[in-house]
Amino acid sequence: MYRIVSKKVLNPTVIMMDIEAPLVAKRAEAGQFIIIRPMETSERIPLTVAGFDREKGTVKIIFQTVGATTLMLSQLNEGDCVSDFAGPLGKPCETEGKSDVLVVGGGVGCAIALPIAEKLKEEGASVRSVIGFRTKDLIILKDEFEAVSDTLDVMTDDGSFGEMGNVCVPFERMIKEGRAPGHVIAIGPLVMMKFVAKMAKENGIPCTVSMNPIMIDGTGMCGGCRITLVKDGKRVSAFACVDGPDFDGWEVDFDEAMMRSGAYSDFERHKYEEGCNLFKKETKNG
Amino acid sequence: MAETVKKKFNPSLNKTPMPEQDPAERAQNFSEVALGYTSDMAVLEAERCLDCKNMPCVSGCPVNISIPDFIREIKKGDFESAYKIIRESSSLPAICGRVCPQERQCESKCVRGIKGEAVAIGRLERFAADTHAEANAVVKQDAPTGERVAVVGSGPAGLAAAAELNSLGYRVTVYEALHTEGGVLTYGIPEFRLPKSVVRREVDGLRSLGVEFVTNVIIGKTLLVDDLFDMGYKAVFIGTGAGLPQFMSIPGESFKGVYSANEYLTRCNLMGAYRENSETPVMKGGSVAVVGGGNVAMDAARVAKRLGAESVRIVYRRSAEELPARREEVEHAIAEGIEFLYLTSPIEILGYENKENRRDPKNGCVTSMKCIKMKLGEPDERGRRRPIPEEGSEFTIPADTVIMAIGTTPNPLIKSTTEGLSVNERGGIVTDDSTMTTKAGVFAGGDAVSGAATVISAMGAGKRAAHAIDEYIRSNK
């Protein structure tokens, strides 16, 4: 059992937790992920590490309530325990040798992008950040990004905060104005990463993306997290859990990844609604 | 006057049948198919044993169980003694009695098999283990050495190594990456073939003897092998299995509904996706095609049937004679209505595409599988006849789910983070005859070394490694 030592609601659907897991905290690096199971009956889901405190032995996770498992997790409070917490899995984000980096975060993906931006800053890189959200109320970690970025652009789809538009707008502006970064790291919804990677490739800018597909074990055993990379015109399969989660954005077949990510969307929607109804009933009775 | 045991002999040419759930009924549930012998049945079957002096059956057993000796005890009705005899050689008899390919091991050597059927050694082993009340309570134990040994992986190799090391007096910690112990016994073999309660009983038995189990720790990630030595373990046994699934590299393997057998079985067995209220999803119903002919393919096909598939087809590139699966599993699969497409190999998986609506959720779902007929050519280096595609024989079968059960290779995770550990070209960890790897103090056995094999051979390797570790620790004192 792994104790939740702190919980903070970042926006209506995004929650941050610090979880006591000393062994994981000791070895975790930015870009790696953990597998969590809130209850003994829950699904195993991967969540990327959003931070860690080696001394306190805690690992930070930030997640959005999108399905039954994250909904269940969101109902736990400080002092409660999660049933299983294993990691750190996958390869750490490669920050070495990257001196001029644009970090792009979309939605809850900002939670994963932040520790990478922090690490880059620590290593002396010049860090520019662009973070994008649907609307003002969903903005998370803005101050934290500001603290580690030389420049920060905040984008909202509806223009309710910062600039209206998607994360590609400031990226394109940098390129047009001759301020193109030496490297782009993009983490967020697949469709966002697809277009950032496309723009990066068209302009010859190296691009790293972090993939978060459906997986079970996280150790290379199930193959459910396989994605396709296109290398020199050849299609190659890779497992996000052991070969990633970071991949060369120029190579990832995003359309296929988007198709695969919806494999259980009906099931998830059903389970989520079931969960919501249950909570509604409990609130009514209680 | 006491009747002498010797005089009793059962001349039947056939094995005493084991009660089974009715095929039509069991194809709808996940309860165990084979129900086990009653005491009377076990004694009757034991009486078929000739008690041969040269004991050919023992040579067919990878861990050399004293087979005639335990059968003699069953004849006498002393089932506990029978269990003790088995337990001297095998750490997990309730499991091996269920999943060993006896027809290729002990039973293949049985003299009764020359004319008629061999003695049902596997069934008798299972009987003795199931009848035994308190698992492991009888185990002989050496005086504690005070030394600690770490075992990586709680599958058959790890459990056997842990049991043996424990009985040699070592303090053993078993590290498991998943949240439940048992390795392939838990995530791979389905409930109806090996009830999880049987696995739990074996694990709990070891725990009660003092073996410590630590789940959710991935050696090579959470802790490195070198960390284990720093923590005071004097030796490490790696039994991480062959968990890396293979795909065919044919077009369409990324479509929704294409699974590795590992994923499909893990969803069902470990995560319980077969239960109505499961939080873990798995695709159910429709037409299912399972590619491969081994035990894993049979397991996946029979799970699919139980999950409500209208049709389940095993697609195998050789003929019935070459099926690598245990005979009983093939027979059970056929009885449950699984179809077999022999001499057939998939060449492409086709998926749904709605060109009008890119957002149609059915886009990318498997619809069918294109196959080609094969014929058998010359035997390959392993003596199995090589399948050759017959040009122009392509045909398509309907499929909503495709399960690839074409084998697994050793999991590279531990190798990639352990300096000094060598692997061969197939990914298997290199060991010497004693099971020691190229890294001092690190031993390995089971599928992690050999590539995918059987539960009993992994157990045998785990047991051998335990003795090699004992010797290593003693000589390094």
Side-chain angles (χ1 to χ4, degrees):
Chain A
M1 299 292 263
Y2 305 79
R3 200 165 59 90
I4 299 166
V5 293
S6 76
K7 175 184 177 181
K8 194 174 162 192
V9 177
L10 298 185
N11 78 30
T13 62
V14 175
I15 291 168
M16 176 164 86
M17 283 179 178
D18 289 303
I19 295 184
E20 205 170 61
L23 289 181
V24 184
K26 201 172 154 195
R27 293 194 55 84
E29 295 287 352
Q32 290 188 295
F33 66 95
I34 53 91
I35 293 271
I36 191 169
R37 225 165 53 115
M39 314 267 283
E40 267 187 35
T41 50
S42 306
E43 198 179 353
R44 291 168 66 95
I45 58 161
L47 291 175
T48 309
V49 168
F52 42 83
D53 187 325
R54 299 208 205 281
E55 269 164 39
K56 285 190 191 144
T58 58
V59 177
K60 192 183 292 301
I61 53 167
I62 297 179
F63 61 93
Q64 188 164 22
T65 51
V66 286
T69 313
T70 44
L71 179 66
M72 170 51 72
L73 184 58
S74 73
Q75 300 304 309
L76 298 176
N77 291 306
E78 269 177 36
D80 289 344
C81 286
V82 295
S83 179
D84 301 284
F85 194 88
L89 294 159
K91 294 178 180 162
C93 180
E94 281 174 29
T95 49
E96 237 182 75
K98 298 184 173 83
S99 56
D100 174 24
V101 185
L102 173 66
V103 177
V104 180
V108 74
C110 292
I112 308 155
L114 179 65
I116 293 167
E118 286 172 342
K119 192 173 175 206
L120 284 162
K121 187 75 191 171
E122 225 178 84
E123 291 169 358
S126 141
V127 180
R128 282 177 272 173
S129 300
V130 176
I131 55 177
F133 304 91
R134 277 211 324 276
T135 183
K136 185 182 170 211
D137 293 344
L138 301 179
I139 293 174
I140 55 167
L141 305 172
K142 180 179 140 293
D143 296 345
E144 286 83 349
F145 267 103
E146 221 149 34
V148 294
S149 311
D150 300 342
T151 66
L152 172 68
D153 290 284
V154 183
M155 309 297 295
T156 50
D157 292 354
D158 61 0
S160 54
F161 189 92
E163 196 180 338
M164 182 160 137
N166 65 46
V167 293
C168 284
V169 174
F171 180 29
E172 191 174 18
R173 200 158 48 217
M174 289 174 199
I175 296 167
K176 282 204 175 135
E177 293 173 1
R179 298 183 289 118
H183 196 106
V184 184
I185 297 177
I187 304 170
L190 286 166
V191 64
M192 180 206 94
M193 293 195 286
K194 174 184 169 177
F195 284 106
V196 171
K198 187 165 173 265
M199 189 173 283
K201 189 176 182 179
E202 282 166 2
N203 291 280
I205 304 166
C207 175
T208 305
V209 295
S210 175
M211 303 297 283
N212 188 15
I214 296 167
M215 55 176 81
I216 305 177
D217 60 294
T219 61
M221 208 185 79
C222 78
C225 67
R226 63 193 183 276
I227 63 164
T228 300
L229 304 175
V230 184
K231 292 189 185 220
D232 307 323
K234 264 185 76 181
R235 295 177 66 78
V236 199
S237 187
F239 290 176
C241 65
V242 285
D243 302 321
D246 285 2
F247 290 96
D248 181 345
W250 292 15
E251 295 178 347
V252 173
D253 181 343
F254 286 103
D255 291 332
E256 184 190 279
M258 282 187 258
M259 176 271 283
R260 286 184 63 78
S261 72
Y264 300 103
S265 49
D266 277 356
F267 180 93
E268 275 303 323
R269 201 172 309 120
H270 179 73
K271 278 279 166 192
Y272 186 76
E273 280 161 12
E274 225 173 49
C276 288
N277 291 338
L278 201 69
F279 285 124
K280 264 187 224 151
K281 221 175 3 187
E282 275 178 9
T283 342
K284 223 188 268 169
N285 296 341
Chain B
M1 208 169 64
E3 205 179 356
T4 55
V5 176
K6 270 185 193 161
K7 274 187 189 159
K8 275 205 178 170
F9 179 70
N10 175 356
S12 168
L13 292 182
N14 297 318
K15 289 177 179 176
T16 310
M18 174 146 68
E20 280 174 6
Q21 268 199 80
D22 176 72
E25 195 174 305
R26 75 189 189 222
Q28 323 248 350
N29 69 48
F30 277 81
S31 306
E32 193 169 19
V33 167
L35 301 171
Y37 279 159
T38 61
S39 307
D40 289 347
M41 290 174 193
V43 172
L44 193 65
E45 182 61 20
E47 284 166 356
R48 291 187 62 230
C49 178
L50 293 167
D51 204 356
C52 314
K53 281 244 156 38
N54 58 348
M55 306 186 288
C57 49
V58 178
S59 68
C61 173
V63 296
N64 305 116
I65 294 173
S66 306
I67 294 165
D69 291 345
F70 94 74
I71 292 182
R72 204 179 306 122
E73 297 305 324
I74 292 180
K75 271 188 218 174
K76 284 196 249 166
D78 188 351
F79 307 139
E80 188 61 21
S81 296
Y83 174 80
K84 280 185 200 171
I85 291 167
I86 299 170
R87 192 61 183 70
E88 277 169 23
S89 312
S90 165
S91 328
L92 311 164
I95 293 168
C96 292
R98 287 172 166 84
V99 303
C100 264
Q102 290 96 1
E103 74 269 17
R104 261 179 253 139
Q105 300 176 344
C106 51
E107 293 181 17
S108 74
K109 313 275 178 180
C110 177
V111 174
R112 293 296 313 262
I114 297 167
K115 194 182 167 203
E117 289 183 331
V119 174
I121 301 168
R123 294 174 185 178
L124 291 173
E125 179 185 23
R126 170 184 165 165
F127 168 79
D130 286 358
T131 313
H132 170 67
E134 275 174 78
N136 297 306
V138 295
V139 179
K140 276 189 299 189
Q141 205 143 1
D142 294 354
T145 63
E147 307 283 16
R148 298 166 71 204
V149 178
V151 170
V152 184
S154 65
L159 290 179
E164 198 70 12
L165 285 162
N166 178 266
S167 73
L168 291 167
Y170 292 95
R171 276 166 63 203
V172 183
T173 310
V174 181
Y175 289 98
E176 168 56 46
L178 293 172
H179 56 263
T180 308
E181 302 88 352
V184 72
L185 307 172
T186 297
Y187 75 74
I189 304 178
E191 179 76 18
F192 55 80
R193 193 149 80 83
L194 177 64
K196 299 310 136 204
S197 57
V198 174
V199 181
R200 250 193 326 272
R201 197 172 70 202
E202 301 287 359
V203 170
D204 288 344
L206 290 179
R207 199 179 273 125
S208 72
L209 289 171
V211 175
E212 187 192 2
F213 287 89
V214 181
T215 54
N216 291 330
V217 170
I218 305 106
I219 301 299
K221 284 287 179 188
T222 317
L223 292 170
L224 303 185
V225 169
D226 284 324
D227 292 335
L228 296 172
F229 288 107
D230 292 343
M231 289 160 73
Y233 294 104
K234 288 285 182 272
V236 176
F237 173 74
I238 301 175
T240 46
L244 196 73
Q246 303 293 294
F247 289 91
M248 294 188 75
S249 300
I250 57 172
E253 279 183 307
S254 295
F255 283 131
K256 290 184 277 188
V258 182
Y259 291 101
S260 72
N262 259 9
E263 178 180 0
Y264 188 74
L265 291 172
T266 301
R267 282 180 181 276
C268 295
N269 302 335
L270 176 72
M271 304 310 297
Y274 65 88
R275 291 188 209 105
E276 199 59 43
N277 59 355
S278 169
E279 303 265 325
T280 299
V282 70
M283 296 190 186
K284 297 176 190 174
S287 307
V288 178
V290 180
V291 182
N295 285 325
V296 175
M298 301 305 138
D299 286 346
R302 296 170 69 197
V303 166
K305 187 80 188 176
R306 284 161 172 76
L307 289 178
E310 286 142 35
S311 73
V312 184
R313 296 182 182 87
I314 295 259
V315 177
Y316 179 54
R317 60 194 184 132
R318 292 187 168 92
S319 67
E321 276 123 70
E322 286 87 15
L323 276 176
R326 222 170 151 244
R327 194 185 306 143
E328 187 179 298
E329 309 313 328
V330 176
E331 283 163 10
H332 281 157
I334 292 169
E336 288 163 18
I338 312 289
E339 296 166 50
F340 284 70
L341 288 181
Y342 296 113
L343 295 165
T344 302
S345 186
I347 48 175
E348 184 179 1
I349 298 163
L350 303 161
Y352 183 81
E353 192 189 357
N354 183 345
K355 288 204 175 92
E356 315 271 281
N357 180 7
R358 311 289 303 171
R359 288 172 175 275
D360 187 336
K362 286 212 296 281
N363 278 336
C365 287
V366 176
T367 54
S368 57
M369 187 163 78
K370 204 177 184 183
C371 301
I372 190 163
K373 291 303 282 181
M374 310 292 274
K375 59 182 179 210
L376 291 180
E378 294 301 307
D380 61 15
E381 62 276 8
R382 286 160 71 192
R384 289 201 304 176
R385 293 180 65 190
R386 204 188 300 271
I388 304 163
E390 286 194 69
E391 249 175 76
S393 68
E394 291 87 351
F395 65 104
T396 302
I397 58 170
D400 303 292
T401 302
V402 172
I403 301 164
M404 291 293 174
I406 53 170
T408 53
T409 54
N411 197 320
L413 202 143
I414 200 159
K415 142 81 183 65
S416 66
T417 55
T418 308
E419 242 175 84
L421 198 67
S422 298
V423 298
N424 62 27
E425 67 282 3
R426 290 186 305 276
I429 297 172
V430 175
T431 62
D432 62 16
D433 290 343
S434 82
T435 71
M436 170 115 94
T437 67
T438 49
K439 191 175 169 70
V442 179
F443 297 74
D447 285 5
V449 169
S450 62
T454 59
V455 168
I456 186 76
S457 61
M459 274 186 43
K463 190 178 154 187
R464 269 203 318 284
H467 289 278
I469 288 170
D470 182 41
E471 202 159 295
Y472 168 82
I473 292 178
R474 283 171 193 282
S475 63
N476 277 280
K477 261 193 178 163

